Amino acid sequence: MADRQPHIEREDSAREEVPELLTDIRRLFTLGDRMTVGCRFRYHRDDPYAVGIDLILATGMCITWTVSRDLLRAGTRTPSGEGDFKVWPSCRRHHPASYLFFSLHRPDGQVTFEADLPEIERWLERTYALVPAGSESTLLDWDALTGRLLGRD
């Protein structure tokens, strides 16, 4: 898995292109060498405020976290988040090896990862080119959402 080169794929659908980033991230604070984990960042116009982060384990199991797209973007610039997801950039932001760190907290423990900051920034910018900040609500089906909230599925 470590030999795989990071790349952005495009999902074909009736909707517009949806960027997906496949990359390797490194798990920090483990005994021995840093553990590399496959990771997929997903964005879909039908959930315009959210980003899916899929951790792809060597066993084939996939663990998905859904986080705010704006929170992830804010974390590329300054420490952001509270609760179960925190994200922050490395201090050496403009250094050739700058990183994005994110920490996932669960009742049974926490895990922290590092990813390539410029790569995540480029991918996020593509999501904002697809759905500009402030225009997300125009993509929501408010009647369907209200129906689900009121149990009228």
Side-chain angles (χ1 to χ4, degrees):
M1 188 175 302
D3 294 339
R4 182 179 58 199
Q5 294 296 313
H7 64 284
I8 295 175
E9 292 185 350
R10 295 183 178 169
E11 178 181 295
D12 295 322
S13 70
R15 301 175 307 224
E16 294 181 40
E17 294 177 356
V18 179
E20 186 175 272
L21 171 66
L22 296 173
T23 190
D24 288 331
I25 59 175
R26 288 152 308 281
R27 182 177 176 186
L28 304 179
F29 312 118
T30 60
L31 296 175
D33 293 335
R34 292 181 178 177
M35 179 180 173
T36 300
V37 177
C39 187
R40 178 176 41 238
F41 290 82
R42 295 177 289 105
Y43 181 74
H44 296 282
R45 291 171 44 91
D46 56 355
D47 193 1
Y49 291 105
V51 168
I53 302 173
D54 300 324
L55 303 177
I56 306 162
L57 306 179
T59 62
M61 189 169 120
C62 183
I63 299 170
T64 299
W65 287 79
T66 303
V67 302
S68 161
R69 177 173 72 148
D70 288 344
L71 171 63
L72 186 59
R73 184 186 216 183
T76 65
R77 298 180 178 110
T78 186
S80 302
E82 49 187 69
D84 64 351
F85 183 79
K86 295 181 176 99
V87 59
W88 64 98
S90 62
C91 295
R92 302 180 305 175
R93 180 162 171 66
H94 298 291
H95 188 273
S98 54
Y99 300 104
L100 180 69
F101 300 99
F102 58 97
S103 185
L104 307 169
H105 299 262
R106 295 178 38 117
D108 56 345
Q110 86 174 49
V111 63
T112 302
F113 295 98
E114 75 176 6
D116 180 64
L117 177 61
E119 181 180 33
I120 304 297
E121 287 176 316
R122 284 189 301 272
W123 177 79
L124 273 170
E125 288 310 311
R126 291 191 61 200
T127 73
Y128 282 99
L130 181 65
V131 178
S135 70
E136 297 93 345
S137 66
T138 63
L139 298 174
L140 296 177
D141 182 344
W142 290 103
D143 292 333
L145 180 60
T146 302
R148 280 196 306 256
L149 290 172
L150 296 175
R152 299 180 196 156
D153 289 16

